[in-house]
Amino acid sequence: MRELIRKTGQRLVRIMLMTALILTITTTSQYGQARGDTTSDLNELKTQNELLLQRSRFTTGGVAMILGIVALLAFLAVNGRWTRRLELKNQQLQRERNVVVAQNKQLAIERDRAEAASKAKTSFIQSMTHEIRTPLNAINGFTQLLTTTGVEISEAERIDCCQRIEENSRLLTKILDDLIFISELESNSELPPAEPSLGITIIAQAMDSISQTAAKGVKLNSECTIPEDQIVNTYPRMIHVVLNKLLDNAAKFTTEGSITLRLGMNDEQLHFSVIDTGPGIPEDKKEFIFERFSKLDNFSQGIGLGLTIARMIAERLGGSLILDTNYTGGSKFDLVVPIHHA
């Protein structure tokens, strides 16, 4: 670019010198022919030569300026193109970075889930080992006592051993039933057909199931605010399972006072409440108790699946099961189940 400007300037200077020479020759010739010209003509010739030189310098500077502008525009065009390419490349790198970050987050989530599943599996095995071994040891011990020859026991002791064997057998069966039931809930999403039922019958059957497990001296109450002859279309068997879990839980921790089962209806929904006068549940544990294998008292019987199954059934029925933390006289669970129309 600089070489081109230099050559152009040289050519313009040569042109101007030749023009000046021609003018000088012409002027001299005219001067020789007409010696009578005045001095003012020579001054005019000098002025014209100076103007030519100024124009030559102006033309050279203009050409240089134009070439400089052209070069600057070319530089800006090339620079803009490369800048755009760099921006596109940066955007692509940013997108790839975002993808990598998202993948890392997903991997972290999957890792946490795997760790949680591993912990849950370990907790499950530990709980199952303890909970199954306890009734099995009791059954085995009392059976050996009854069948060992040479050991004399009274009739009252024999009856007590038989009752303990029966009780632990029932506990073992309940543990296995809970495991099978929760497996069926997870593998089968279909609901059985809704059935017409009497509300009073549902709570009566639930109260019958707890009459043998409640502690002596604990009063069992049932309250129904809907007409005794009113038929509702619902799922009585699955509701019975939920109420049975709630009442068993209440009977386990209520040693005195009362256990109450209530039934009401509004807005096309059945409202069940199980209320006890036991030790109650801390508010910060209101969701923890519904988690699998969760137990507030590690020394109590059970593997911590009762409330988990109860909530799963409630949600499967399109309802809800919550702990009422406003109740302070013990524990109060509210079950809401929608009524289905035939």
Side-chain angles (χ1 to χ4, degrees):
M1 182 66 68
R2 292 180 179 177
E3 184 65 20
L4 179 61
I5 294 172
R6 185 180 65 80
K7 289 181 178 180
T8 303
Q10 290 177 354
R11 289 177 183 176
L12 291 174
V13 171
R14 290 173 185 173
I15 292 171
M16 288 186 294
L17 290 176
M18 290 178 67
T19 302
L21 180 60
I22 292 171
L23 291 173
T24 303
I25 293 172
T26 303
T27 304
T28 304
S29 175
Q30 291 177 353
Y31 178 76
Q33 292 177 357
R35 294 183 178 181
D37 293 341
T38 62
T39 307
S40 59
D41 294 335
L42 293 175
N43 294 332
E44 183 179 355
L45 181 60
K46 291 180 180 180
T47 302
Q48 291 178 355
N49 287 336
E50 290 177 357
L51 290 174
L52 287 175
L53 290 174
Q54 291 178 358
R55 290 177 182 176
S56 174
R57 288 194 297 270
F58 176 77
T59 304
T60 303
V63 171
M65 182 181 295
I66 292 172
L67 292 176
I69 293 174
V70 171
L72 178 61
L73 292 176
F75 171 76
L76 292 176
V78 174
N79 183 67
R81 188 161 51 248
W82 280 105
T83 301
R84 180 58 181 167
R85 290 183 180 178
L86 288 174
E87 290 178 354
L88 293 176
K89 192 65 177 178
N90 289 334
Q91 292 176 0
Q92 181 181 359
L93 292 174
Q94 184 63 33
R95 287 193 296 267
E96 293 177 355
R97 179 179 177 276
N98 293 337
V99 171
V100 173
V101 171
Q103 290 177 346
N104 290 336
K105 289 182 178 179
Q106 186 63 31
L107 290 175
I109 293 173
E110 296 297 334
R111 181 198 61 201
D112 294 340
R113 288 178 179 174
E115 292 178 355
S118 177
K119 291 180 180 179
K121 181 180 178 181
T122 302
S123 177
F124 168 75
I125 293 175
Q126 293 175 347
S127 299
M128 289 302 300
T129 301
H130 172 74
E131 297 299 334
I132 292 178
R133 183 182 296 168
T134 300
L136 282 177
N137 288 339
I139 294 171
N140 184 47
F142 289 117
T143 301
Q144 289 182 357
L145 181 62
L146 292 175
T147 58
T148 301
T149 57
V151 177
E152 296 182 0
I153 58 175
S154 62
E155 182 65 17
E157 291 174 338
R158 187 187 66 80
I159 294 175
D160 182 65
C161 288
C162 292
Q163 290 177 346
R164 292 181 180 275
I165 291 174
E166 182 181 359
E167 178 183 351
N168 283 277
S169 298
R170 186 171 60 252
L171 176 60
L172 182 60
T173 302
K174 180 182 177 182
I175 293 174
L176 297 177
D177 286 344
D178 284 348
L179 293 174
I180 295 173
F181 196 84
I182 199 170
S183 177
E184 291 178 350
L185 285 175
E186 291 180 334
S187 61
N188 186 13
S189 59
E190 296 183 1
L191 284 173
E195 304 175 17
S197 307
L198 290 171
I200 191 66
T201 303
I202 296 175
I203 62 173
Q205 291 176 349
M207 294 303 293
D208 288 341
S209 65
I210 196 181
S211 58
Q212 297 180 353
T213 58
K216 293 181 179 180
V218 175
K219 187 178 180 181
L220 303 179
N221 303 318
S222 62
E223 301 174 4
C224 182
T225 59
I226 66 175
E228 294 184 359
D229 59 347
Q230 183 168 354
I231 298 177
V232 292
N233 206 46
T234 186
Y235 302 93
R237 297 178 184 177
M238 300 187 77
I239 292 176
H240 177 72
V241 174
V242 178
L243 295 179
N244 191 25
K245 298 295 183 186
L246 296 176
L247 290 170
D248 281 346
N249 193 64
K252 184 187 301 184
F253 297 102
T254 304
T255 57
E256 59 182 5
S258 63
I259 299 174
T260 304
L261 174 59
R262 293 176 182 172
L263 171 60
M265 181 179 68
N266 58 22
D267 299 330
E268 298 297 323
Q269 292 179 326
L270 294 175
H271 291 253
F272 296 89
S273 295
V274 176
I275 309 167
D276 64 54
T277 57
I281 299 172
E283 184 176 357
D284 60 345
K285 300 294 183 180
K286 65 179 182 179
E287 292 300 325
F288 170 77
I289 57 175
F290 292 104
E291 296 178 4
R292 298 185 183 187
F293 314 114
S294 60
K295 298 170 63 176
L296 295 180
D297 183 4
N298 292 326
F299 297 99
S300 62
Q301 289 183 339
I303 58 176
L305 286 178
L307 293 178
T308 303
I309 294 174
R311 173 169 277 187
M312 289 178 66
I313 295 175
E315 293 176 348
R316 181 67 58 85
L317 296 178
S320 62
L321 175 62
I322 61 172
L323 172 70
D324 185 359
T325 56
N326 294 323
Y327 178 74
T328 58
S331 298
K332 180 176 180 287
F333 289 89
D334 292 322
L335 169 67
V336 179
V337 179
I339 299 174
H340 294 261
H341 297 282

